[in-house]
Amino acid sequence: MSGVVVRGRALRESHGPTVVLLHPLGAGADFWERAADSLDGLGVYSVDLPGHGGCPVPDAPYGTADVAAALATHLRGLGHQGVHVVGLSLGGLVALELAAHDPGLVSSLVVAATVPFYPEDWRERWRVRAADAARLGVTPFVEPTLQLWLTPAALAADGAEVAYVKRALADIDPRGYALACLALADADVTPRLGTITAPTLLVDGELDAPLFHDGAARLARSIPGARRAVIAGARHASALEFAEPFARLVRNWVRPGNDSPDEGSR
């Protein structure tokens, strides 16, 4: 798809395995900075998805498969191979598409707060949100995002996590946000899940919306050998508010010779 590119930056240099991080809707590569601080012994490369962070807005609607193809080209152009891909929500959909599109590139997956497709009522919500973002900007979606992503305790504390969400949504181009909403509305990785060969860990926030628990269950049934883990007390943005427990799961999943996720898994 014309105009679909990704950009990225290294958050941690290492001679160990490389982890590629893919953010949720409305965020950017900096979403992962706190988690990256705890990914000891791993190289960390964080990606700006189309229309987010420093990545340009595509000139036409696109799908998550288009983003995966652009990401594969980007990573191979940088000389990466055998990377461990971590995605949350929108980033999780792209991670799944990447593993199906270019299995030789992906050594393992960690997919958090992700559904293989949205039910029709949610698809319509995404379409309405895309139209509203193009017309009104992203400000109306700050409070709903905060409520979905963060726990009541984090919202009451009004600390760094809240400040990040507000800043990220204030900075995003409404056109980029709208196109990403349309990509979510049309996304469906179901037909390709059975082709994924990379070892896959599915991460739930314990207090996330039921839709995403159901999505994880669907993914677990469809991806050969997939495992699940739960981060206690977390909502949708587990990697932001619970960065260290999330990073611990990632470390244990990608470390050579490790064959099980950390505590709290199931």
Side-chain angles (χ1 to χ4, degrees), residues 47-114:
V47 173
D48 282 324
L49 298 175
H52 291 70
C55 196
V57 177
D59 53 19
Y62 62 88
T64 52
D66 299 313
V67 182
L71 178 58
T73 298
H74 177 77
L75 292 174
R76 288 195 177 278
L78 294 173
H80 288 301
Q81 58 182 346
V83 294
H84 302 269
V85 182
V86 180
L88 192 148
S89 203
L90 170 61
L93 277 163
V94 175
L96 292 167
E97 293 278 16
L98 180 67
H101 169 80
D102 195 338
L105 180 62
V106 180
S107 287
S108 75
L109 288 173
V110 178
V111 176
T114 299

Side-chain angles (χ1 to χ4, degrees), residues 192-200 219-227:
R192 292 172 289 287
L193 294 176
T195 70
I196 292 175
T197 57
T200 301
L219 292 170
R221 290 193 297 268
S222 301
I223 299 173
R227 301 284 300 278

